Amino acid sequence: MIPAKEAKEMMYRMLSENFISLQEIPKTPDHAPSRTFYLYTVNLPAAARMILQRCYKTVVNLIDRREHETRENKRLLEKSQRIEAIMASMQATGAEELQLQEIEEMITAPEQQQLESLKHNVNMLDSSENQVDETIFILESYIATTRIEKEPTQKR
């Protein structure tokens, strides 16, 4: 279990972000605070919609970040693609191993390291986007099923 102080902070944060709300249950009709119970309640469909909105924003941020990464390294990506195309055409024509090594050396070690880092970052962004997409699917399914359950059944 989490410590009481941390739990209070989490509850307050969730309350301030409208994930939970307070429900007053008075012991007496005058609603005096000393004679009233306060319970936390959760409106699950509303919370799911709020989380869904945050997921949409997250996907947009991930897409923007991936575009930024590729835009910042556009020159390096184009150079890498040109070298790969040259290597493929040279291999197709039966070039010697020495020629292929010379072409591979056109990308310096720091550029190769930067290219690997870029590929890793883009793969992480893609993976994150897939995970958020899965969460969006689950939330949309939940919201759709709660909407269907609330609708009255029609006579056939």
Side-chain angles (χ1 to χ4, degrees), residues 66-101:
R66 184 176 54 243
E67 288 174 356
H68 172 75
E69 290 284 334
T70 55
R71 196 172 40 249
E72 288 292 312
N73 294 291
K74 184 177 181 181
R75 182 198 62 80
L76 182 60
L77 288 169
E78 288 174 350
K79 181 177 180 179
S80 173
Q81 290 172 349
R82 281 194 310 270
I83 291 174
E84 287 175 7
I86 292 170
M87 292 275 293
S89 67
M90 295 284 284
Q91 287 175 341
T93 59
E96 294 179 17
E97 191 64 35
L98 184 60
Q99 291 174 322
L100 294 174
Q101 282 180 340

Coordinates of all heavy atoms in Angstrom, one line a residue, residues 66-101:
R66 N 8.1 12.8 -34.1 CA 8.8 12.0 -35.1 C 9.1 12.9 -36.3 O 10.2 12.8 -36.9 CB 7.9 10.9 -35.5 CG 8.6 9.9 -36.5 CD 7.8 8.7 -36.8 NE 6.4 9.0 -37.3 CZ 5.3 8.6 -36.6 NH1 5.4 8.0 -35.5 NH2 4.1 9.0 -37.1
E67 N 8.1 13.8 -36.7 CA 8.4 14.6 -37.9 C 9.5 15.6 -37.6 O 10.3 15.9 -38.5 CB 7.1 15.4 -38.2 CG 6.0 14.5 -38.9 CD 4.7 15.3 -39.1 OE1 4.6 16.4 -38.6 OE2 3.8 14.6 -39.7
H68 N 9.6 16.1 -36.4 CA 10.7 17.0 -36.0 C 12.0 16.3 -36.1 O 13.0 16.8 -36.6 CB 10.5 17.5 -34.6 CG 11.6 18.3 -34.0 ND1 11.9 19.6 -34.4 CD2 12.6 17.9 -33.1 CE1 13.0 20.0 -33.8 NE2 13.4 19.0 -33.0
E69 N 12.1 15.1 -35.5 CA 13.4 14.3 -35.6 C 13.8 14.0 -37.0 O 15.0 14.2 -37.3 CB 13.2 12.9 -34.9 CG 13.0 13.0 -33.4 CD 14.3 13.3 -32.6 OE1 15.4 13.0 -33.2 OE2 14.2 13.9 -31.5
T70 N 12.9 13.7 -37.9 CA 13.3 13.4 -39.3 C 13.6 14.7 -40.0 O 14.5 14.7 -40.9 CB 12.2 12.6 -40.0 OG1 10.9 13.3 -39.9 CG2 12.0 11.2 -39.5
R71 N 12.9 15.8 -39.7 CA 13.2 17.0 -40.3 C 14.6 17.5 -39.9 O 15.4 18.1 -40.8 CB 12.1 18.1 -40.0 CG 12.1 19.3 -40.8 CD 10.9 20.2 -40.6 NE 10.5 20.3 -39.2 CZ 9.4 19.8 -38.6 NH1 8.5 19.1 -39.4 NH2 9.1 20.0 -37.3
E72 N 14.9 17.4 -38.6 CA 16.2 17.8 -38.1 C 17.4 17.0 -38.7 O 18.5 17.5 -38.9 CB 16.3 17.7 -36.6 CG 15.5 18.7 -35.9 CD 16.0 20.2 -36.0 OE1 17.2 20.4 -35.9 OE2 15.2 21.1 -36.4
N73 N 17.2 15.8 -39.1 CA 18.2 14.9 -39.6 C 18.0 14.6 -41.1 O 18.4 13.5 -41.6 CB 18.3 13.6 -38.8 CG 18.7 13.9 -37.4 OD1 19.9 14.3 -37.1 ND2 17.8 13.8 -36.4
K74 N 17.3 15.4 -41.8 CA 16.9 15.2 -43.2 C 18.1 14.9 -44.1 O 18.2 14.0 -44.9 CB 16.1 16.3 -43.7 CG 15.6 16.1 -45.1 CD 14.7 17.3 -45.6 CE 14.2 17.0 -47.0 NZ 13.4 18.1 -47.5
R75 N 19.2 15.8 -43.9 CA 20.4 15.7 -44.7 C 21.0 14.3 -44.5 O 21.4 13.6 -45.5 CB 21.3 16.8 -44.4 CG 22.6 16.8 -45.2 CD 23.7 17.6 -44.6 NE 24.1 17.1 -43.3 CZ 25.0 16.1 -43.1 NH1 25.4 15.4 -44.1 NH2 25.3 15.7 -41.9
L76 N 21.1 13.9 -43.3 CA 21.8 12.6 -43.0 C 21.0 11.5 -43.5 O 21.5 10.5 -44.1 CB 22.0 12.5 -41.4 CG 22.7 11.2 -41.0 CD1 24.1 11.2 -41.5 CD2 22.7 11.2 -39.4
L77 N 19.6 11.5 -43.4 CA 18.8 10.5 -43.9 C 18.9 10.4 -45.4 O 19.0 9.3 -46.0 CB 17.3 10.7 -43.5 CG 17.0 10.5 -42.0 CD1 15.6 11.0 -41.7 CD2 17.1 9.0 -41.7
E78 N 18.9 11.5 -46.1 CA 19.0 11.5 -47.6 C 20.4 10.9 -48.0 O 20.5 10.2 -48.9 CB 18.9 12.9 -48.1 CG 17.4 13.4 -48.0 CD 17.3 14.9 -48.4 OE1 18.3 15.6 -48.6 OE2 16.1 15.3 -48.6
K79 N 21.5 11.3 -47.3 CA 22.8 10.8 -47.6 C 22.8 9.3 -47.4 O 23.3 8.5 -48.2 CB 23.8 11.4 -46.7 CG 25.2 11.0 -46.9 CD 26.2 11.7 -46.0 CE 27.6 11.2 -46.3 NZ 28.6 12.0 -45.4
S80 N 22.2 8.8 -46.3 CA 22.2 7.4 -46.1 C 21.4 6.6 -47.2 O 21.8 5.6 -47.6 CB 21.5 7.1 -44.7 OG 21.3 5.7 -44.5
Q81 N 20.3 7.2 -47.6 CA 19.5 6.6 -48.6 C 20.2 6.5 -50.0 O 20.2 5.6 -50.7 CB 18.1 7.3 -48.8 CG 17.2 7.1 -47.6 CD 15.9 8.0 -47.7 OE1 15.9 8.9 -48.5 NE2 15.0 7.7 -46.9
R82 N 20.9 7.6 -50.3 CA 21.7 7.7 -51.5 C 22.8 6.6 -51.5 O 23.0 5.9 -52.5 CB 22.4 9.0 -51.7 CG 21.4 10.1 -52.2 CD 22.2 11.3 -52.7 NE 23.2 11.9 -51.8 CZ 22.9 12.8 -50.8 NH1 21.7 13.2 -50.7 NH2 23.9 13.2 -50.0
I83 N 23.5 6.5 -50.4 CA 24.6 5.5 -50.2 C 24.0 4.0 -50.3 O 24.6 3.2 -51.0 CB 25.3 5.7 -48.9 CG1 26.2 7.0 -49.1 CG2 26.2 4.5 -48.6 CD1 26.9 7.4 -47.8
E84 N 22.8 3.8 -49.7 CA 22.2 2.5 -49.8 C 21.8 2.2 -51.3 O 21.9 1.1 -51.7 CB 21.0 2.4 -48.9 CG 21.3 2.3 -47.4 CD 20.1 2.4 -46.5 OE1 19.0 2.3 -47.0 OE2 20.3 2.4 -45.3
A85 N 21.3 3.2 -52.0 CA 20.9 3.0 -53.4 C 22.2 2.7 -54.2 O 22.1 1.8 -55.1 CB 20.2 4.2 -53.9
I86 N 23.2 3.4 -54.0 CA 24.5 3.2 -54.7 C 25.0 1.8 -54.4 O 25.4 1.0 -55.4 CB 25.5 4.2 -54.4 CG1 25.1 5.6 -54.9 CG2 26.9 3.8 -54.9 CD1 26.0 6.8 -54.4
M87 N 24.9 1.4 -53.2 CA 25.4 0.0 -52.8 C 24.6 -1.0 -53.5 O 25.1 -2.0 -54.0 CB 25.3 -0.1 -51.2 CG 26.3 0.7 -50.4 SD 27.9 0.0 -50.2 CE 27.5 -1.4 -49.2
A88 N 23.3 -0.9 -53.5 CA 22.4 -1.9 -54.1 C 22.7 -2.0 -55.6 O 22.7 -3.1 -56.1 CB 20.9 -1.5 -53.9
S89 N 22.9 -0.8 -56.3 CA 23.1 -0.9 -57.7 C 24.5 -1.5 -58.0 O 24.7 -2.2 -59.0 CB 23.0 0.5 -58.4 OG 24.0 1.3 -57.9
M90 N 25.5 -1.2 -57.1 CA 26.8 -1.7 -57.3 C 26.8 -3.3 -57.1 O 27.5 -4.0 -57.8 CB 27.8 -1.1 -56.3 CG 28.0 0.4 -56.5 SD 29.1 0.8 -57.9 CE 30.7 0.4 -57.3
Q91 N 26.1 -3.7 -56.1 CA 26.0 -5.2 -55.8 C 25.3 -5.9 -57.0 O 25.6 -7.0 -57.3 CB 25.3 -5.4 -54.5 CG 26.1 -5.1 -53.3 CD 25.3 -5.2 -52.0 OE1 24.1 -5.2 -52.0 NE2 26.0 -5.3 -50.9
A92 N 24.3 -5.2 -57.5 CA 23.6 -5.8 -58.7 C 24.4 -5.9 -59.9 O 24.3 -6.9 -60.7 CB 22.3 -5.0 -59.0
T93 N 25.4 -5.0 -60.1 CA 26.3 -5.1 -61.2 C 27.5 -5.9 -60.9 O 28.3 -6.1 -61.8 CB 26.7 -3.7 -61.7 OG1 27.4 -3.0 -60.6 CG2 25.5 -2.9 -62.1
G94 N 27.6 -6.4 -59.7 CA 28.8 -7.3 -59.4 C 30.0 -6.6 -59.0 O 31.1 -7.0 -59.5
A95 N 29.9 -5.5 -58.3 CA 31.1 -4.7 -57.9 C 32.0 -5.5 -56.9 O 31.5 -6.4 -56.3 CB 30.7 -3.4 -57.3
E96 N 33.2 -5.1 -56.9 CA 34.2 -5.7 -56.0 C 34.0 -5.3 -54.6 O 33.4 -4.3 -54.3 CB 35.6 -5.4 -56.4 CG 36.0 -5.9 -57.8 CD 37.4 -5.5 -58.1 OE1 38.2 -5.1 -57.2 OE2 37.8 -5.6 -59.3
E97 N 34.4 -6.1 -53.6 CA 34.3 -5.9 -52.2 C 35.0 -4.6 -51.8 O 34.4 -3.8 -51.0 CB 34.8 -7.0 -51.4 CG 34.4 -7.0 -49.9 CD 33.0 -7.2 -49.7 OE1 32.3 -7.9 -50.4 OE2 32.5 -6.5 -48.7
L98 N 36.1 -4.3 -52.4 CA 36.8 -3.1 -52.1 C 36.0 -1.8 -52.4 O 36.0 -0.8 -51.7 CB 38.2 -3.1 -52.8 CG 39.1 -1.9 -52.5 CD1 39.4 -1.9 -51.0 CD2 40.4 -2.0 -53.3
Q99 N 35.4 -1.9 -53.6 CA 34.5 -0.7 -54.0 C 33.3 -0.5 -53.0 O 33.0 0.6 -52.7 CB 34.0 -0.9 -55.4 CG 35.0 -0.9 -56.5 CD 34.5 -1.3 -57.9 OE1 33.7 -2.2 -58.0 NE2 34.9 -0.6 -58.9
L100 N 32.8 -1.6 -52.6 CA 31.6 -1.5 -51.7 C 32.1 -1.0 -50.3 O 31.3 -0.2 -49.7 CB 31.0 -2.9 -51.5 CG 30.3 -3.5 -52.7 CD1 29.9 -5.0 -52.4 CD2 29.2 -2.7 -53.2
Q101 N 33.3 -1.3 -49.9 CA 33.8 -0.8 -48.6 C 34.0 0.7 -48.7 O 33.8 1.5 -47.8 CB 35.1 -1.5 -48.2 CG 34.9 -2.9 -47.6 CD 36.2 -3.5 -47.2 OE1 37.2 -3.1 -47.7 NE2 36.1 -4.5 -46.4

